[in-house]
Amino acid sequence: MIELLICTLGCAISLATEHLVLWDNPWRLRPPITYMIGMLTIIAWFSLFCWLVSPIYLFFGVALLLLSGGAGLVVILGYWLRRVFSAKDQAAFTAGQLSRSVPSPITQEWIDGSDR
């Protein structure tokens, strides 16, 4: 299973490199883009592993791409809905139609009750 070892190390090095290169830049990417880059890296290395074992198994890499892509669409939708609802709440608060008893952003201290 040298193929698995090679692909695991390659994937780990790739992900570490992505984190180092993309970490502290003024144009730093934000989720869900970062999630997509990470998942595509994992899927690429998994697909390479499948192909090295047997080209017939490349189907599993395609299946993983489709499964994670479908699940990723739900995550992207969640981020979009959160942004839309947050903008609507902010507009209502600015117009004086909404009062906030919950701070924005919600902090762990507020959740724990020590900030109330």
Side-chain angles (χ1 to χ4, degrees), residues 38-77:
M39 281 303 300
L40 287 172
T41 301
I42 293 168
I43 292 167
W45 282 100
F46 179 73
S47 297
L48 177 62
F49 166 72
C50 290
W51 184 75
L52 289 173
V53 171
S54 173
I56 295 171
Y57 291 144
L58 191 56
F59 167 76
F60 292 114
V62 173
L64 179 60
L65 177 64
L66 293 174
L67 287 168
S68 61
L73 287 176
V74 174
V75 173
I76 290 169
L77 178 64

Side-chain angles (χ1 to χ4, degrees), residues 34 65 100:
T34 54
L65 177 64
R100 288 197 178 124

Side-chain angles (χ1 to χ4, degrees), residues 22-37:
L22 299 175
W23 182 255
D24 196 21
N25 293 306
W27 48 267
R28 185 172 180 203
L29 300 172
R30 298 191 184 280
I33 300 296
T34 54
Y35 299 156
M36 291 189 317
I37 292 171

